[in-house]
Amino acid sequence: MNFKLNKRGGIIGSFIVMFIVTIAIVIILTIFIFGAGVVKKFDNVDSGIKIYEEEEDIGLDDVFNYVINYQKLVEARYLVIAGADLNSALEEVGYEK
């Protein structure tokens, strides 16, 4: 008899906790939504949707340039280790800052 009472109390307690946590999550999401609106107003961001069409808009071009320059720098480093002068190694691989 005592076991059934404790089991029912545990189920009811679980539902109460789940309900409270659900309300807390909704409150947190609402705060984020309104906070984003406030930040948009302070930052003077235009409302609406912007469609990114070019790599420059999203910064992919910067990443690709970094990878290419890093590859050239690694090649120049191997040339320097092999005994070449630093400036001539950088010129040979075409490394630009």
Side-chain angles (χ1 to χ4, degrees):
M1 180 82 176
N2 193 14
F3 175 71
K4 289 182 181 179
L5 180 63
N6 288 338
K7 187 175 181 183
R8 187 181 313 150
I11 292 173
I12 293 172
S14 296
F15 282 122
I16 291 172
V17 168
M18 182 180 66
F19 184 70
I20 292 171
V21 168
T22 303
I23 290 173
I25 290 172
V26 169
I27 290 171
I28 290 170
L29 289 175
T30 305
I31 291 171
F32 277 131
I33 290 169
F34 287 123
V38 170
V39 169
K40 259 185 163 178
K41 292 292 181 187
F42 285 132
D43 202 20
N44 295 328
V45 176
D46 295 332
S47 61
I49 298 174
K50 180 177 180 184
I51 298 174
Y52 294 108
E53 295 180 2
E54 299 293 328
E55 292 176 349
E56 291 126 12
D57 289 342
I58 55 176
L60 281 178
D61 195 35
D62 297 335
V63 173
F64 293 138
N65 286 338
Y66 174 77
V67 171
I68 291 169
N69 284 335
Y70 182 75
Q71 180 182 4
K72 290 178 181 179
L73 185 63
V74 169
E75 290 174 9
R77 188 171 75 190
Y78 281 115
L79 290 174
V80 169
I81 290 172
D85 183 35
L86 177 62
N87 290 331
S88 62
L90 291 176
E91 287 176 10
E92 184 175 335
V93 296
Y95 178 77
E96 297 175 3
K97 286 186 178 183

